Amino acid sequence: MELVLKQRQELNLIMTIELRQSIELLQYTTYELYQFIREQELENPLIDLVEQKNGSLYEEKSNGKVKSISPTKMTVDLVSSKDMSMRDKLLEQANLLFKAVQDQKLIRFIIHNLDDNGYLYLNQNEPFPYGEFEESEIDRGIQLLQQVGPTGIGARDLKECLLLQITIDFPKEKLAECLIQNYLDLLANKKWNDIAARMNITMTQVKDINDFILTLNPRPCSSISDFSIEYLNPDIIVEIKESEISFYLNDSYLPKIDFNNEYTSLLNTKDETSKYINDKYTSYQWLLSSIEQRRQTIMKIVKVIINKQESFFKDGFMSLEPLTLKEVAEEIEMHESTVSRATMNKVIQTPKGTFNLKMFFTSKLETVDGNSVSQTKVKRLLETYIAKENKFKPLSDQKIASYFNSEKGITISRRTISKYREELKIPSSSNRKEIKV
């Protein structure tokens, strides 16, 4: 075996820190970009940020013309509410109403364990799910809690919640109480004939009981969570003026990045300080170019989306056309992954509502004439068709699929209809069936 020393030249693509940061920058929302710029100011002494007071935005017309416009005031002051939460109000009322220390302790335990809908959530897998209390004490505490909050609060499940409302507020509704107590599963599955047979009542009575139960509140305390109001700040704003579509990036609040001239004299010296300053100057230039590159990339993508989906911005979801990331990438001569990153987490405000930018990229279904239709449009057609069906004889997924194939010319399978229906949270045909009297 002979040992030989060879020299070989290779070309490798290495992801530098700057390249990685550029990719991350492309994925940032406008507000995340604002935070990133602030962080860079702290790390780089050459960056001097100037708040924009009367900055201009650029409105990109759908025909390619660009003109400068004055930004509207978009800033919203977020003021944290000092009002008491509903949970705190319940605790305060309980302390005023119940004087016994043990009762206050019991009520406090229940209130602190209420979930977002006002149900008592206790992990039965834990060794002591009721804490220091017995189950009988929890039952008594739930009854006491009805004097403080909405009827049904503190229930451990839907059945208990509905029964509490009936026994306290509607004690004469004995048939409804019996149905919920014994046949709630049949009611959930709309087995009207089985309910009538087992309770020995008429279909008219079944309908009356069902209509009454629908008036009860299955979420007695849905506002108990301490949610703070969050304002959605769109990254792109689309407007229609005189039938002409225009858009601009909502980045007027981004500070202007200036160079700190105090360090200019140190750029050309030959010492360690100069090396440090030159490195920071390179970072400063990279930041400017990356932000501008991000901006231009987003504008190119949005321009293509507006051109491709012009009918949507004017007519709504029924006019949404099939569009893929690959098609946009080919249009702007960029890689598909770049388009994916640039549209990630971005929010667009349109005359038809505010959406995630990814919403415009929908898969397509073939039609019999060789054309295609967007998935979103098919879902809208499905919603409309089910809304108009005979509620006493709801259509099965197979019949709906046959209708789309024969009447709409859309090639779609029963399984796809079932998938779309579940995504739209539309019940199956058996659970959509109403009582026929």
Side-chain angles (χ1 to χ4, degrees):
M1 183 175 179
E2 184 181 358
L3 295 176
V4 180
L5 183 64
K6 292 184 178 180
Q7 188 174 17
R8 184 172 58 185
Q9 187 176 15
E10 291 182 351
L11 183 63
N12 292 323
L13 181 62
I14 300 175
M15 182 174 286
T16 62
I17 296 176
E18 289 77 12
L19 179 58
R20 188 180 294 110
Q21 287 180 333
S22 294
I23 292 174
E24 291 177 357
L25 209 66
L26 196 58
Q27 298 174 178
Y28 286 164
T29 64
T30 308
Y31 181 68
E32 289 171 340
L33 178 60
Y34 172 83
Q35 293 178 312
F36 179 76
I37 293 173
R38 286 295 181 189
E39 291 172 2
Q40 292 299 302
E41 179 190 27
L42 297 176
E43 296 176 6
N44 194 336
L46 301 188
I47 294 177
D48 187 15
L49 298 184
V50 180
E51 292 294 339
Q52 298 277 28
K53 294 182 178 179
N54 298 308
S56 63
L57 294 173
Y58 293 94
E59 182 174 294
E60 179 79 21
K61 297 294 184 180
S62 57
N63 59 10
K65 296 180 180 178
V66 183
K67 71 173 185 178
S68 175
I69 61 172
S70 298
T72 55
K73 188 174 182 180
M74 301 292 295
T75 306
V76 179
D77 292 326
L78 304 182
V79 182
S80 59
S81 176
K82 295 183 180 179
D83 295 337
M84 290 179 65
S85 67
M86 188 171 186
R87 201 182 300 269
D88 291 334
K89 290 179 181 178
L90 289 172
L91 288 168
E92 185 180 65
Q93 292 172 15
N95 290 332
L96 292 173
L97 188 61
F98 307 111
K99 300 301 181 183
V101 176
Q102 186 66 11
D103 287 348
Q104 291 182 355
K105 199 173 183 181
L106 176 62
I107 293 294
R108 193 181 305 116
F109 173 81
I110 295 176
I111 291 176
H112 281 307
N113 283 281
L114 295 178
D115 66 10
D116 293 347
N117 294 317
Y119 285 86
L120 175 60
Y121 176 77
L122 297 171
N123 190 350
Q124 297 297 331
N125 295 322
E126 292 181 355
F128 303 100
Y130 301 112
E132 62 182 88
F133 304 101
E134 298 293 333
E135 186 173 358
S136 58
E137 289 183 284
I138 296 295
D139 293 338
R140 185 175 68 87
I142 292 173
Q143 293 294 330
L144 292 175
L145 191 59
Q146 308 310 304
Q147 304 175 43
V148 178
T151 310
I153 187 174
R156 284 156 286 194
D157 52 39
L158 177 62
K159 177 189 285 189
E160 185 177 12
C161 175
L162 298 178
L163 287 174
L164 281 170
Q165 294 178 58
I166 290 177
T167 54
I168 294 173
D169 297 334
F170 308 97
K172 294 182 179 180
E173 297 290 342
K174 297 299 181 183
L175 286 176
E177 183 179 359
C178 176
L179 193 157
I180 292 171
Q181 184 69 57
N182 302 295
Y183 310 111
L184 188 59
D185 57 334
L186 296 179
L187 180 66
N189 293 312
K190 298 192 175 182
K191 302 291 185 181
W192 311 123
N193 292 325
D194 291 349
I195 292 173
R198 296 194 186 189
M199 294 184 65
N200 195 24
I201 58 178
T202 65
M203 290 298 289
T204 302
Q205 288 177 297
V206 173
K207 185 178 187 306
D208 291 341
I209 294 171
N210 180 65
D211 291 344
F212 164 73
I213 292 175
L214 290 176
T215 64
L216 302 178
N217 188 0
R219 298 181 180 86
C221 208
S222 58
S223 58
I224 194 169
S225 294
D226 304 328
F227 292 124
S228 59
I229 299 176
E230 294 185 4
Y231 295 92
L232 189 64
N233 194 28
D235 301 281
I236 306 109
I237 296 178
V238 178
E239 296 177 345
I240 298 180
K241 297 177 181 178
E242 299 178 356
S243 299
E244 188 176 24
I245 302 175
S246 61
F247 77 92
Y248 58 87
L249 301 188
N250 184 31
D251 57 1
S252 60
Y253 60 89
L254 292 180
K256 182 182 177 184
I257 304 174
D258 279 351
F259 178 74
N260 191 339
N261 292 317
E262 293 181 8
Y263 296 91
T264 305
S265 59
L266 298 174
L267 286 172
N268 299 320
T269 58
K270 302 295 182 180
D271 53 20
E272 289 297 322
T273 304
S274 176
K275 185 178 182 302
Y276 172 79
I277 294 298
N278 276 280
D279 288 342
K280 293 302 180 182
Y281 182 69
T282 302
S283 299
Y284 161 76
Q285 290 180 312
W286 166 84
L287 182 62
L288 289 177
S289 61
S290 296
I291 291 175
E292 181 59 26
Q293 186 177 10
R294 170 191 176 276
R295 191 175 188 280
Q296 293 300 324
T297 301
I298 295 174
M299 292 185 73
K300 287 178 182 178
I301 292 171
V302 176
K303 182 179 178 182
V304 174
I305 291 175
I306 289 178
N307 288 335
K308 298 283 187 181
Q309 304 287 8
E310 183 175 355
S311 54
F312 163 81
F313 293 102
K314 294 180 178 179
D315 304 322
F317 278 98
M318 293 300 287
S319 301
L320 192 65
E321 297 293 333
L323 185 64
T324 63
L325 293 170
K326 185 177 181 181
E327 290 173 341
V328 175
E330 291 175 351
E331 188 84 16
I332 64 175
E333 298 180 348
M334 289 185 178
H335 197 274
E336 188 176 340
S337 62
T338 303
V339 178
S340 178
R341 291 188 180 97
T343 55
M344 190 178 296
N345 304 320
K346 304 298 188 300
V347 174
I348 182 170
Q349 179 180 304
T350 76
K352 300 300 178 182
T354 301
F355 314 99
N356 191 304
L357 196 57
K358 289 279 190 182
M359 186 272 297
F360 292 98
F361 299 97
T362 62
S363 58
K364 56 187 177 182
L365 297 171
E366 300 298 328
T367 58
V368 293
D369 57 3
N371 294 321
S372 59
V373 61
S374 72
Q375 182 187 89
T376 304
K377 184 174 181 178
V378 173
K379 288 182 180 180
R380 294 290 173 174
L381 289 171
L382 177 61
E383 279 184 311
T384 304
Y385 188 52
I386 290 178
K388 294 179 180 178
E389 71 180 356
N390 185 344
K391 299 305 177 184
F392 304 118
K393 292 183 179 180
L395 298 166
S396 66
D397 294 341
Q398 183 58 57
K399 289 183 178 178
I400 295 174
S402 300
Y403 166 78
F404 274 90
N405 282 302
S406 60
E407 301 297 327
K408 296 294 184 180
I410 300 173
T411 306
I412 190 170
S413 66
R414 180 199 63 79
R415 292 180 65 181
T416 305
I417 290 292
S418 177
K419 174 187 171 184
Y420 289 174
R421 179 176 54 73
E422 290 173 0
E423 289 176 357
L424 295 168
K425 301 188 184 307
I426 298 175
S428 62
S429 58
S430 60
N431 289 335
R432 297 199 306 271
K433 188 176 182 180
E434 293 187 358
I435 305 172
K436 187 174 184 180
V437 179

